Amino acid sequence: MATAGNNKGIFKKILNVTSGNFLEQYDFFLFGFYASYIAAKFFHSENEYVSLMMTFTVFAAGFLMRPLGAIFLGAYVDKVGRRKGLIVTLSLMALGTLLITFVPSYDQIGIMAPILVVIGRLLQGFSAGVESGGVSIYLAEISTDKNRGFITSFQSGSQQIAVVFAAILGYSINVMLGPEQVGDWGWRIPFLIGCLIIPLIFILRRSLEETEAFKAQKTHPTGKEIFQTMLANWKVVLAGMLMSAMTTTTFYFTTVYTPTFAKRELDLTTSESLLAAVVVGLSNFIWLPIGGMISDRIGRKPVLVGITILAIFTAYPTLNWLVNDISFNHLIMALLYFSFFFGMYNGSMVATLAESMPVRVKTVGFSLAFSLATALFGGVTPMVSTFIIEKTGDASMPAIWLMFAATCSLLASLYLCKRLPNKKAVYQETKA
């Protein structure tokens, strides 16, 4: 009974803390999926490619704010606590969401329309810079040495639920409304629903308990001490960024960019691209805890190294096969294969990154490494993919970008795993 009670308490904490992750990914997925509609409403151009590139550039701009959020908000979380800090990040995320939802179109307010959309994305990016890191560190601190990979996998697991929910909602709107209605005002409905669930997420996060690991720290670092520690550990942060490259690149290709890729490059319907996103989200949700559990059993290194090598040698053949024999079924098969990469790798990667950071600055260290990876790899994936396809005329080329990210992650994983020969010793200082 005690074990059942403990498990219930842990999963309640997981629900409370990952609720903000749900909102973050829900909004990011919507922005990517409705990129063509947002481009038409806010970024006028006679050239569809230019308009779409402008939209994906704004999408990427939000990620460029993540490192700043990681540094300043991450330092705040490490100083005042996980609970208080994560409530602040949720507030900023909610403000950005509200702004994007209700901004009038370019035809109504002119140049202020794209400016306000950019501000909304920057607020979301600043908040997201520490959201994933803060949640991951919270989960790492309530876990044990035997289940840390499994528990931390729910950080990304909550994002997969958001993708599935957003995709199903988008599919329903696409069925009920005509293309002109969706383009005119229907695309705002999912964003509005996101605004309506914000109060519920605030309630969940306000009931969040502070971690015992944080409360056990007798002193907490000042801002100056945090920055000094981060400078002293810059190699670990850089390696953490590169280790996260494959996770962020694969995720944003298979979720955010897939709807645009399926419609623009494969000539599939909007409904088919949305159904594909649902399948990918469900697949990710299954593979994430499996990857985490396997890494808890056999170690982080075999999972990280094995998956990156597999991605390097098979990503291009897989996407090239899809492009040369286009069908909805083949799209699903290719995305499920990439989903396997993401879920297995990320299930181990999050725990490894948490275990790699200095104890007193875990949140800012994790957040900075992950946000840099998201900014330089994942966040620009839709933009890079659109650009290289346009320049080469080969719709298979995004796989080269994925292979490059996998190579970076392989080298970084070897470096960080070498620094952590005994993962069970990592949290002893925190628990002391």
PDB file of all heavy atoms in Angstrom, residues 151-180:
ATOM      1  N   ILE A 151      11.296   8.453 -15.188  1.00  0.00           N
ATOM      2  CA  ILE A 151      10.552   9.594 -14.656  1.00  0.00           C
ATOM      3  C   ILE A 151      10.784  10.849 -15.490  1.00  0.00           C
ATOM      4  O   ILE A 151       9.845  11.573 -15.836  1.00  0.00           O
ATOM      5  CB  ILE A 151      10.938   9.862 -13.178  1.00  0.00           C
ATOM      6  CG1 ILE A 151      10.489   8.695 -12.294  1.00  0.00           C
ATOM      7  CG2 ILE A 151      10.295  11.160 -12.683  1.00  0.00           C
ATOM      8  CD1 ILE A 151       9.004   8.467 -12.242  1.00  0.00           C
ATOM      9  N   THR A 152      12.041  11.125 -15.850  1.00  0.00           N
ATOM     10  CA  THR A 152      12.313  12.352 -16.606  1.00  0.00           C
ATOM     11  C   THR A 152      11.754  12.281 -18.029  1.00  0.00           C
ATOM     12  O   THR A 152      11.581  13.321 -18.674  1.00  0.00           O
ATOM     13  CB  THR A 152      13.824  12.637 -16.674  1.00  0.00           C
ATOM     14  OG1 THR A 152      14.512  11.498 -17.215  1.00  0.00           O
ATOM     15  CG2 THR A 152      14.381  12.960 -15.296  1.00  0.00           C
ATOM     16  N   SER A 153      11.461  11.075 -18.521  1.00  0.00           N
ATOM     17  CA  SER A 153      10.900  10.964 -19.871  1.00  0.00           C
ATOM     18  C   SER A 153       9.527  11.619 -19.981  1.00  0.00           C
ATOM     19  O   SER A 153       9.077  11.970 -21.079  1.00  0.00           O
ATOM     20  CB  SER A 153      10.792   9.496 -20.291  1.00  0.00           C
ATOM     21  OG  SER A 153       9.764   8.820 -19.586  1.00  0.00           O
ATOM     22  N   PHE A 154       8.851  11.814 -18.842  1.00  0.00           N
ATOM     23  CA  PHE A 154       7.524  12.419 -18.877  1.00  0.00           C
ATOM     24  C   PHE A 154       7.576  13.915 -19.166  1.00  0.00           C
ATOM     25  O   PHE A 154       6.549  14.516 -19.480  1.00  0.00           O
ATOM     26  CB  PHE A 154       6.777  12.156 -17.567  1.00  0.00           C
ATOM     27  CG  PHE A 154       6.267  10.756 -17.461  1.00  0.00           C
ATOM     28  CD1 PHE A 154       6.994   9.786 -16.790  1.00  0.00           C
ATOM     29  CD2 PHE A 154       5.075  10.380 -18.064  1.00  0.00           C
ATOM     30  CE1 PHE A 154       6.539   8.476 -16.713  1.00  0.00           C
ATOM     31  CE2 PHE A 154       4.603   9.084 -17.989  1.00  0.00           C
ATOM     32  CZ  PHE A 154       5.347   8.121 -17.317  1.00  0.00           C
ATOM     33  N   GLN A 155       8.770  14.518 -19.056  1.00  0.00           N
ATOM     34  CA  GLN A 155       8.892  15.929 -19.457  1.00  0.00           C
ATOM     35  C   GLN A 155       8.516  16.072 -20.930  1.00  0.00           C
ATOM     36  O   GLN A 155       7.681  16.880 -21.309  1.00  0.00           O
ATOM     37  CB  GLN A 155      10.321  16.418 -19.210  1.00  0.00           C
ATOM     38  CG  GLN A 155      10.566  17.857 -19.622  1.00  0.00           C
ATOM     39  CD  GLN A 155      11.043  17.996 -21.059  1.00  0.00           C
ATOM     40  OE1 GLN A 155      11.811  17.163 -21.543  1.00  0.00           O
ATOM     41  NE2 GLN A 155      10.588  19.024 -21.739  1.00  0.00           N
ATOM     42  N   SER A 156       9.132  15.245 -21.755  1.00  0.00           N
ATOM     43  CA  SER A 156       8.802  15.288 -23.177  1.00  0.00           C
ATOM     44  C   SER A 156       7.497  14.564 -23.470  1.00  0.00           C
ATOM     45  O   SER A 156       6.803  14.886 -24.430  1.00  0.00           O
ATOM     46  CB  SER A 156       9.934  14.657 -23.997  1.00  0.00           C
ATOM     47  OG  SER A 156       9.717  14.839 -25.376  1.00  0.00           O
ATOM     48  N   GLY A 157       7.142  13.594 -22.619  1.00  0.00           N
ATOM     49  CA  GLY A 157       5.885  12.884 -22.812  1.00  0.00           C
ATOM     50  C   GLY A 157       4.688  13.814 -22.789  1.00  0.00           C
ATOM     51  O   GLY A 157       3.743  13.658 -23.574  1.00  0.00           O
ATOM     52  N   SER A 158       4.724  14.800 -21.898  1.00  0.00           N
ATOM     53  CA  SER A 158       3.620  15.758 -21.821  1.00  0.00           C
ATOM     54  C   SER A 158       3.513  16.572 -23.107  1.00  0.00           C
ATOM     55  O   SER A 158       2.417  16.970 -23.526  1.00  0.00           O
ATOM     56  CB  SER A 158       3.814  16.700 -20.628  1.00  0.00           C
ATOM     57  OG  SER A 158       4.971  17.517 -20.798  1.00  0.00           O
ATOM     58  N   GLN A 159       4.649  16.813 -23.756  1.00  0.00           N
ATOM     59  CA  GLN A 159       4.641  17.552 -25.006  1.00  0.00           C
ATOM     60  C   GLN A 159       3.993  16.735 -26.127  1.00  0.00           C
ATOM     61  O   GLN A 159       3.350  17.285 -27.010  1.00  0.00           O
ATOM     62  CB  GLN A 159       6.068  17.939 -25.386  1.00  0.00           C
ATOM     63  CG  GLN A 159       6.723  18.887 -24.389  1.00  0.00           C
ATOM     64  CD  GLN A 159       8.133  19.253 -24.781  1.00  0.00           C
ATOM     65  OE1 GLN A 159       8.783  18.553 -25.559  1.00  0.00           O
ATOM     66  NE2 GLN A 159       8.639  20.354 -24.242  1.00  0.00           N
ATOM     67  N   GLN A 160       4.156  15.421 -26.053  1.00  0.00           N
ATOM     68  CA  GLN A 160       3.541  14.567 -27.082  1.00  0.00           C
ATOM     69  C   GLN A 160       2.017  14.577 -26.948  1.00  0.00           C
ATOM     70  O   GLN A 160       1.293  14.544 -27.956  1.00  0.00           O
ATOM     71  CB  GLN A 160       4.068  13.132 -26.969  1.00  0.00           C
ATOM     72  CG  GLN A 160       5.573  13.007 -26.893  1.00  0.00           C
ATOM     73  CD  GLN A 160       6.301  13.903 -27.885  1.00  0.00           C
ATOM     74  OE1 GLN A 160       5.992  13.904 -29.082  1.00  0.00           O
ATOM     75  NE2 GLN A 160       7.269  14.661 -27.386  1.00  0.00           N
ATOM     76  N   ILE A 161       1.532  14.615 -25.732  1.00  0.00           N
ATOM     77  CA  ILE A 161       0.083  14.729 -25.518  1.00  0.00           C
ATOM     78  C   ILE A 161      -0.426  16.031 -26.119  1.00  0.00           C
ATOM     79  O   ILE A 161      -1.502  16.082 -26.729  1.00  0.00           O
ATOM     80  CB  ILE A 161      -0.249  14.660 -24.012  1.00  0.00           C
ATOM     81  CG1 ILE A 161       0.155  13.291 -23.446  1.00  0.00           C
ATOM     82  CG2 ILE A 161      -1.730  14.908 -23.768  1.00  0.00           C
ATOM     83  CD1 ILE A 161      -0.015  13.173 -21.952  1.00  0.00           C
ATOM     84  N   ALA A 162       0.364  17.095 -25.975  1.00  0.00           N
ATOM     85  CA  ALA A 162      -0.014  18.384 -26.547  1.00  0.00           C
ATOM     86  C   ALA A 162      -0.080  18.315 -28.064  1.00  0.00           C
ATOM     87  O   ALA A 162      -0.994  18.869 -28.688  1.00  0.00           O
ATOM     88  CB  ALA A 162       0.992  19.458 -26.109  1.00  0.00           C
ATOM     89  N   VAL A 163       0.890  17.637 -28.669  1.00  0.00           N
ATOM     90  CA  VAL A 163       0.904  17.495 -30.128  1.00  0.00           C
ATOM     91  C   VAL A 163      -0.327  16.736 -30.599  1.00  0.00           C
ATOM     92  O   VAL A 163      -0.995  17.133 -31.566  1.00  0.00           O
ATOM     93  CB  VAL A 163       2.189  16.759 -30.582  1.00  0.00           C
ATOM     94  CG1 VAL A 163       2.091  16.361 -32.060  1.00  0.00           C
ATOM     95  CG2 VAL A 163       3.413  17.644 -30.365  1.00  0.00           C
ATOM     96  N   VAL A 164      -0.641  15.631 -29.920  1.00  0.00           N
ATOM     97  CA  VAL A 164      -1.803  14.819 -30.294  1.00  0.00           C
ATOM     98  C   VAL A 164      -3.095  15.625 -30.142  1.00  0.00           C
ATOM     99  O   VAL A 164      -3.957  15.629 -31.037  1.00  0.00           O
ATOM    100  CB  VAL A 164      -1.872  13.535 -29.437  1.00  0.00           C
ATOM    101  CG1 VAL A 164      -3.183  12.794 -29.673  1.00  0.00           C
ATOM    102  CG2 VAL A 164      -0.695  12.625 -29.754  1.00  0.00           C
ATOM    103  N   PHE A 165      -3.220  16.328 -29.020  1.00  0.00           N
ATOM    104  CA  PHE A 165      -4.417  17.126 -28.755  1.00  0.00           C
ATOM    105  C   PHE A 165      -4.578  18.223 -29.812  1.00  0.00           C
ATOM    106  O   PHE A 165      -5.673  18.429 -30.364  1.00  0.00           O
ATOM    107  CB  PHE A 165      -4.332  17.734 -27.357  1.00  0.00           C
ATOM    108  CG  PHE A 165      -5.498  18.611 -26.993  1.00  0.00           C
ATOM    109  CD1 PHE A 165      -6.745  18.064 -26.742  1.00  0.00           C
ATOM    110  CD2 PHE A 165      -5.351  19.987 -26.917  1.00  0.00           C
ATOM    111  CE1 PHE A 165      -7.823  18.861 -26.418  1.00  0.00           C
ATOM    112  CE2 PHE A 165      -6.418  20.802 -26.589  1.00  0.00           C
ATOM    113  CZ  PHE A 165      -7.672  20.235 -26.331  1.00  0.00           C
ATOM    114  N   ALA A 166      -3.489  18.919 -30.105  1.00  0.00           N
ATOM    115  CA  ALA A 166      -3.536  20.009 -31.090  1.00  0.00           C
ATOM    116  C   ALA A 166      -3.854  19.478 -32.482  1.00  0.00           C
ATOM    117  O   ALA A 166      -4.622  20.095 -33.235  1.00  0.00           O
ATOM    118  CB  ALA A 166      -2.203  20.760 -31.108  1.00  0.00           C
ATOM    119  N   ALA A 167      -3.277  18.331 -32.832  1.00  0.00           N
ATOM    120  CA  ALA A 167      -3.509  17.764 -34.156  1.00  0.00           C
ATOM    121  C   ALA A 167      -4.955  17.287 -34.314  1.00  0.00           C
ATOM    122  O   ALA A 167      -5.579  17.510 -35.363  1.00  0.00           O
ATOM    123  CB  ALA A 167      -2.547  16.606 -34.408  1.00  0.00           C
ATOM    124  N   ILE A 168      -5.495  16.637 -33.286  1.00  0.00           N
ATOM    125  CA  ILE A 168      -6.893  16.182 -33.339  1.00  0.00           C
ATOM    126  C   ILE A 168      -7.832  17.380 -33.434  1.00  0.00           C
ATOM    127  O   ILE A 168      -8.805  17.372 -34.197  1.00  0.00           O
ATOM    128  CB  ILE A 168      -7.228  15.317 -32.107  1.00  0.00           C
ATOM    129  CG1 ILE A 168      -6.475  13.995 -32.180  1.00  0.00           C
ATOM    130  CG2 ILE A 168      -8.733  15.061 -32.020  1.00  0.00           C
ATOM    131  CD1 ILE A 168      -6.659  13.113 -30.963  1.00  0.00           C
ATOM    132  N   LEU A 169      -7.522  18.415 -32.669  1.00  0.00           N
ATOM    133  CA  LEU A 169      -8.337  19.627 -32.704  1.00  0.00           C
ATOM    134  C   LEU A 169      -8.280  20.268 -34.090  1.00  0.00           C
ATOM    135  O   LEU A 169      -9.308  20.682 -34.652  1.00  0.00           O
ATOM    136  CB  LEU A 169      -7.837  20.608 -31.644  1.00  0.00           C
ATOM    137  CG  LEU A 169      -8.642  21.901 -31.451  1.00  0.00           C
ATOM    138  CD1 LEU A 169     -10.080  21.582 -31.065  1.00  0.00           C
ATOM    139  CD2 LEU A 169      -7.978  22.766 -30.376  1.00  0.00           C
ATOM    140  N   GLY A 170      -7.074  20.347 -34.661  1.00  0.00           N
ATOM    141  CA  GLY A 170      -6.924  20.911 -35.990  1.00  0.00           C
ATOM    142  C   GLY A 170      -7.650  20.097 -37.045  1.00  0.00           C
ATOM    143  O   GLY A 170      -8.265  20.649 -37.960  1.00  0.00           O
ATOM    144  N   TYR A 171      -7.597  18.784 -36.904  1.00  0.00           N
ATOM    145  CA  TYR A 171      -8.304  17.904 -37.845  1.00  0.00           C
ATOM    146  C   TYR A 171      -9.814  18.144 -37.771  1.00  0.00           C
ATOM    147  O   TYR A 171     -10.495  18.226 -38.801  1.00  0.00           O
ATOM    148  CB  TYR A 171      -7.983  16.451 -37.520  1.00  0.00           C
ATOM    149  CG  TYR A 171      -8.710  15.451 -38.402  1.00  0.00           C
ATOM    150  CD1 TYR A 171      -8.240  15.149 -39.677  1.00  0.00           C
ATOM    151  CD2 TYR A 171      -9.873  14.822 -37.962  1.00  0.00           C
ATOM    152  CE1 TYR A 171      -8.895  14.238 -40.488  1.00  0.00           C
ATOM    153  CE2 TYR A 171     -10.547  13.914 -38.771  1.00  0.00           C
ATOM    154  CZ  TYR A 171     -10.043  13.624 -40.028  1.00  0.00           C
ATOM    155  OH  TYR A 171     -10.708  12.732 -40.824  1.00  0.00           O
ATOM    156  N   SER A 172     -10.337  18.278 -36.554  1.00  0.00           N
ATOM    157  CA  SER A 172     -11.777  18.507 -36.372  1.00  0.00           C
ATOM    158  C   SER A 172     -12.203  19.827 -37.002  1.00  0.00           C
ATOM    159  O   SER A 172     -13.246  19.902 -37.669  1.00  0.00           O
ATOM    160  CB  SER A 172     -12.124  18.504 -34.881  1.00  0.00           C
ATOM    161  OG  SER A 172     -11.763  17.269 -34.273  1.00  0.00           O
ATOM    162  N   ILE A 173     -11.400  20.873 -36.800  1.00  0.00           N
ATOM    163  CA  ILE A 173     -11.715  22.183 -37.381  1.00  0.00           C
ATOM    164  C   ILE A 173     -11.669  22.110 -38.902  1.00  0.00           C
ATOM    165  O   ILE A 173     -12.502  22.694 -39.596  1.00  0.00           O
ATOM    166  CB  ILE A 173     -10.732  23.244 -36.846  1.00  0.00           C
ATOM    167  CG1 ILE A 173     -10.998  23.488 -35.359  1.00  0.00           C
ATOM    168  CG2 ILE A 173     -10.855  24.551 -37.633  1.00  0.00           C
ATOM    169  CD1 ILE A 173      -9.982  24.362 -34.692  1.00  0.00           C
ATOM    170  N   ASN A 174     -10.700  21.364 -39.417  1.00  0.00           N
ATOM    171  CA  ASN A 174     -10.569  21.232 -40.859  1.00  0.00           C
ATOM    172  C   ASN A 174     -11.759  20.497 -41.481  1.00  0.00           C
ATOM    173  O   ASN A 174     -12.122  20.747 -42.627  1.00  0.00           O
ATOM    174  CB  ASN A 174      -9.275  20.475 -41.175  1.00  0.00           C
ATOM    175  CG  ASN A 174      -8.820  20.673 -42.599  1.00  0.00           C
ATOM    176  OD1 ASN A 174      -8.537  21.800 -42.998  1.00  0.00           O
ATOM    177  ND2 ASN A 174      -8.762  19.602 -43.374  1.00  0.00           N
ATOM    178  N   VAL A 175     -12.360  19.588 -40.712  1.00  0.00           N
ATOM    179  CA  VAL A 175     -13.528  18.845 -41.182  1.00  0.00           C
ATOM    180  C   VAL A 175     -14.777  19.727 -41.134  1.00  0.00           C
ATOM    181  O   VAL A 175     -15.607  19.709 -42.049  1.00  0.00           O
ATOM    182  CB  VAL A 175     -13.737  17.560 -40.351  1.00  0.00           C
ATOM    183  CG1 VAL A 175     -15.097  16.925 -40.670  1.00  0.00           C
ATOM    184  CG2 VAL A 175     -12.618  16.569 -40.628  1.00  0.00           C
ATOM    185  N   MET A 176     -14.913  20.511 -40.072  1.00  0.00           N
ATOM    186  CA  MET A 176     -16.126  21.304 -39.863  1.00  0.00           C
ATOM    187  C   MET A 176     -16.172  22.576 -40.690  1.00  0.00           C
ATOM    188  O   MET A 176     -17.251  23.055 -41.054  1.00  0.00           O
ATOM    189  CB  MET A 176     -16.262  21.659 -38.380  1.00  0.00           C
ATOM    190  CG  MET A 176     -16.547  20.459 -37.476  1.00  0.00           C
ATOM    191  SD  MET A 176     -16.831  20.945 -35.750  1.00  0.00           S
ATOM    192  CE  MET A 176     -15.214  21.569 -35.291  1.00  0.00           C
ATOM    193  N   LEU A 177     -14.985  23.144 -41.002  1.00  0.00           N
ATOM    194  CA  LEU A 177     -14.938  24.417 -41.713  1.00  0.00           C
ATOM    195  C   LEU A 177     -14.325  24.246 -43.099  1.00  0.00           C
ATOM    196  O   LEU A 177     -13.516  23.341 -43.324  1.00  0.00           O
ATOM    197  CB  LEU A 177     -14.108  25.443 -40.924  1.00  0.00           C
ATOM    198  CG  LEU A 177     -14.576  25.770 -39.506  1.00  0.00           C
ATOM    199  CD1 LEU A 177     -13.596  26.726 -38.845  1.00  0.00           C
ATOM    200  CD2 LEU A 177     -15.984  26.349 -39.503  1.00  0.00           C
ATOM    201  N   GLY A 178     -14.687  25.125 -43.995  1.00  0.00           N
ATOM    202  CA  GLY A 178     -14.096  25.129 -45.317  1.00  0.00           C
ATOM    203  C   GLY A 178     -12.726  25.775 -45.295  1.00  0.00           C
ATOM    204  O   GLY A 178     -12.373  26.478 -44.344  1.00  0.00           O
ATOM    205  N   PRO A 179     -11.913  25.569 -46.352  1.00  0.00           N
ATOM    206  CA  PRO A 179     -10.559  26.137 -46.406  1.00  0.00           C
ATOM    207  C   PRO A 179     -10.523  27.652 -46.220  1.00  0.00           C
ATOM    208  O   PRO A 179      -9.638  28.181 -45.540  1.00  0.00           O
ATOM    209  CB  PRO A 179     -10.076  25.743 -47.812  1.00  0.00           C
ATOM    210  CG  PRO A 179     -10.874  24.522 -48.157  1.00  0.00           C
ATOM    211  CD  PRO A 179     -12.220  24.743 -47.524  1.00  0.00           C
ATOM    212  N   GLU A 180     -11.486  28.370 -46.812  1.00  0.00           N
ATOM    213  CA  GLU A 180     -11.501  29.828 -46.678  1.00  0.00           C
ATOM    214  C   GLU A 180     -11.795  30.246 -45.242  1.00  0.00           C
ATOM    215  O   GLU A 180     -11.215  31.214 -44.738  1.00  0.00           O
ATOM    216  CB  GLU A 180     -12.540  30.431 -47.624  1.00  0.00           C
ATOM    217  CG  GLU A 180     -12.165  30.320 -49.094  1.00  0.00           C
ATOM    218  CD  GLU A 180     -13.149  31.051 -49.984  1.00  0.00           C
ATOM    219  OE1 GLU A 180     -14.078  31.692 -49.440  1.00  0.00           O
ATOM    220  OE2 GLU A 180     -12.988  30.999 -51.217  1.00  0.00           O
TER     221      GLU A 180
END
